[in-house]
């Protein structure tokens, strides 16, 4: 039965979260096969987790034997017996993790994905497809989630099956966060400060946003050129996104035309945030300079004290050498000789 607009919107607005363990498993699956040697081959696996109708949590996965013809995309093989046996074993380990969909290494959708998705409907009514880019070349989330629906065309022709995109996030549980932090501890450079890390993260976020805006522009241009049909669900989501964007030209109501108060709300907020960050950087630089001067003064004081101690020890050694010199011993001997002479003269008298 064709999906209604409400059903399509419910699929598009679902919250899909992928655990880091799934990403590591897919990358390991890709590297263990010969797919990395060829750009046309891909790997396929099963996704396990929970799907309550609003939130989809992908917590685990396992690989599946899969082959397809490079020349004919309609020729493919997927061992569904292996899927059933592995699913039964995973149920014994963790009954909460159910089969909710499948994945492949993409990096884009292919013609046979709808047929493979129909195969997975044996195990779950609405399977989730997640394309995981194992070799990302640009910043952003390396996952794309899709649900299959039957699209109703405006011209009244026969409905056709297609995929609708659902946003995804990478979310880890507490145990996974501890494991990931433990792995990144040896990779992360300790010498890099937090400021450079924050700037790098913001740069990557802006690059990801720019990439998404380019995709939106390319899609709208194809719709205008007639290469793609008009999808009201996508246009409605884009309109919601544009409505949430702040107005950069309208000033704040009741604000004066002079000073920072005459700026827009976004400009004023960004100015305040930037000033706070610059003030923190300025104070940290002052503290660092004062600490460096303090260490320099302490070093000079220690050097001067050591120099004075060396000079005092040198003077003491010189004075001790003068008191115990041979000249003093000679005078004592001469004095003793004079006394002996005086004693002999008295005896003669």
């Amino acid at each position: 039965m064709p999906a209604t607009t409400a059903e399509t919107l419910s699929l598009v607005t679902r919250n899909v979260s992928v655990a880091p363990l799934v990403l590591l498993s897919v990358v390991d699956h890709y590297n263990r096969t010969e797919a990395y040697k060829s750009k046309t081959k891909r790997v396929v696996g099963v996704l396990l987790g929970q799907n309550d109708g609003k939130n989809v949590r992908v917590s685990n996965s396992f690989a599946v034997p899969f082959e397809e013809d490079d020349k004919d995309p309609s020729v493919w093989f997927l061992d569904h017996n292996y899927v059933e046996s592995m699913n039964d074993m995973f149920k014994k380990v963790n009954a909460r993790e159910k089969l909710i969909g499948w994945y492949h290494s993409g990096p884009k959708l292919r013609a046979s994905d709808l047929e493979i998705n129909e195969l997975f409907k044996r195990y779950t009514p609405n399977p989730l497809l997640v394309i995981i880019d194992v070799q990302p070349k640009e910043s952003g989330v390396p996952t794309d989630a899709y649900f299959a629906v039957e699209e109703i065309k405006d011209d009244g022709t026969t409905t056709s099956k297609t995929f609708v995109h659902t946003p995804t996030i990478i979310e880890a549980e507490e145990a996974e966060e501890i494991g990931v932090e433990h792995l990144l501890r040896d990779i992360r450079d300790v010498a890099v400060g937090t400021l450079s890390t924050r700037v790098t993260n913001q740069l990557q976020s802006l690059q990801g946003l720019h990439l998404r805006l380019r995709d939106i522009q390319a899609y709208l241009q194809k719709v205008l050129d007639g290469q793609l049909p008009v999808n009201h669900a996508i246009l409605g989501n884009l309109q919601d996104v544009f409505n949430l964007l702040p107005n950069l030209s309208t000033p704040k109501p009741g604000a004066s035309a002079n000073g920072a108060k005459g700026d827009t709300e976004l400009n004023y907020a960004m100015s305040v945030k930037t000033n706070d960050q610059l003030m923190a950087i300025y104070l940290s630089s002052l503290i660092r300079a004062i600490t460096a001067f303090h260490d320099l003064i302490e070093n000079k004081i220690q050097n001067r004290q050591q120099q004075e101690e060396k000079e005092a020890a040198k003077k003491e050694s010189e004075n001790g050498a003068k008191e115990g010199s041979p000249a003093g011993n000679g005078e004592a001997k001469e004095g003793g000789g004079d006394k002996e002479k005086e004693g002999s003269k008295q005896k003669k008298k």
Side-chain angles (χ1 to χ4, degrees):
M1 183 178 68
T4 61
T5 305
E7 293 176 354
T8 304
L9 288 176
S10 66
L11 294 175
V12 173
T13 56
R14 288 187 183 183
N15 299 321
V16 179
S17 61
V18 182
L21 178 62
V22 177
L23 302 181
L24 294 175
S25 300
V26 175
V27 172
D28 180 67
H29 180 201
Y30 183 80
N31 291 330
R32 283 188 290 105
T33 61
E34 297 181 356
Y36 68 92
K37 297 180 181 179
S38 175
K39 295 182 180 180
T40 58
K41 292 185 178 182
R42 58 177 176 169
V43 294
V44 175
V46 173
L47 297 177
L48 303 174
Q50 297 86 29
N51 185 359
D52 58 2
K54 294 182 179 179
N55 300 318
V56 182
R57 171 64 178 173
V58 182
S59 57
N60 205 347
S61 65
F62 62 86
V64 176
F66 176 78
E67 293 291 339
E68 63 181 342
D69 192 355
D70 297 337
K71 298 180 181 179
D72 189 0
S74 62
V75 178
W76 52 273
F77 167 75
L78 190 144
D79 194 349
H80 57 88
N81 293 326
Y82 180 83
V83 174
E84 295 173 358
S85 61
M86 288 292 293
N87 189 27
D88 293 338
M89 286 190 290
F90 272 92
K91 283 182 180 179
K92 296 178 181 179
V93 176
N94 190 353
R96 295 181 58 188
E97 293 181 349
K98 299 179 181 180
L99 196 153
I100 59 174
W102 61 290
Y103 72 84
H104 68 80
S105 58
K108 299 295 181 181
L109 286 170
R110 299 194 183 184
S112 59
D113 289 346
L114 288 172
E115 299 177 1
I116 300 174
N117 195 77
E118 289 295 324
L119 174 63
F120 278 95
K121 284 187 177 181
R122 299 180 182 179
Y123 315 108
T124 180
N126 197 0
L128 169 70
L129 167 60
V130 177
I131 299 178
I132 301 175
D133 190 3
V134 295
Q135 294 177 346
K137 298 179 178 59
E138 297 179 354
S139 60
V141 181
T143 57
D144 289 319
Y146 299 92
F147 285 101
V149 297
E150 292 187 5
E151 183 181 9
I152 303 175
K153 297 184 178 180
D154 297 334
D155 54 1
T157 57
T158 308
T159 59
S160 61
K161 294 181 180 180
T162 183
F163 284 106
V164 291
H165 182 266
T166 303
T168 59
I169 59 174
I170 307 300
E171 186 178 11
E173 297 180 355
E174 184 178 0
E176 292 175 329
E177 289 181 359
I178 295 173
V180 172
E181 289 292 336
H182 182 72
L183 291 175
L184 294 178
R185 184 176 59 184
D186 298 332
I187 302 175
R188 187 178 300 163
D189 190 1
V190 183
V192 178
T194 57
L195 178 61
S196 61
T197 304
R198 292 174 59 186
V199 172
T200 303
N201 294 335
Q202 290 183 357
L203 177 61
Q204 292 178 353
S205 301
L206 292 175
Q207 289 176 351
L209 178 60
H210 182 258
L211 178 62
R212 296 294 181 259
L213 292 176
R214 283 194 309 173
D215 294 339
I216 293 173
Q217 180 185 7
Y219 169 75
L220 294 177
Q221 188 63 41
K222 289 182 179 179
V223 172
L224 289 176
D225 297 339
Q227 299 178 6
L228 292 176
V230 178
N231 192 322
H232 297 287
I234 297 177
L235 294 180
N237 289 331
L238 292 178
Q239 186 63 46
D240 293 338
V241 171
F242 297 149
N243 292 336
L244 292 174
L245 292 176
N247 194 347
L248 302 180
S249 58
T250 304
K252 293 186 296 183
S256 61
N258 298 325
K261 295 183 179 179
D263 296 335
T264 62
E265 294 182 1
L266 181 63
N267 291 338
Y268 181 72
M270 292 185 66
S271 300
V272 172
K273 182 68 175 178
T274 304
N275 291 335
D276 293 341
Q277 292 180 351
L278 292 178
M279 178 60 70
I281 295 173
Y282 178 68
L283 290 177
S284 62
S285 299
L286 283 178
I287 293 172
R288 186 180 300 174
I290 292 172
T291 305
F293 278 123
H294 182 268
D295 294 339
L296 179 62
I297 293 172
E298 287 289 337
N299 190 17
K300 286 190 174 182
I301 291 174
Q302 291 178 1
N303 292 335
R304 184 176 296 176
Q305 290 178 353
Q306 292 177 359
Q307 186 67 25
E308 291 177 355
E309 291 176 357
K310 288 182 180 180
E311 291 179 356
K314 186 177 180 180
K315 288 180 179 179
E316 290 178 358
S317 62
E318 290 178 356
N319 294 332
K322 288 180 179 179
E323 291 176 358
S325 61
N329 296 332
E331 291 177 356
K333 289 181 180 179
E334 290 178 359
D338 294 337
K339 289 181 180 181
E340 291 177 356
K341 289 180 180 179
E342 290 178 358
S344 61
K345 288 181 180 180
Q346 291 176 359
K347 287 179 180 180
K348 289 179 179 179
K349 290 178 180 181

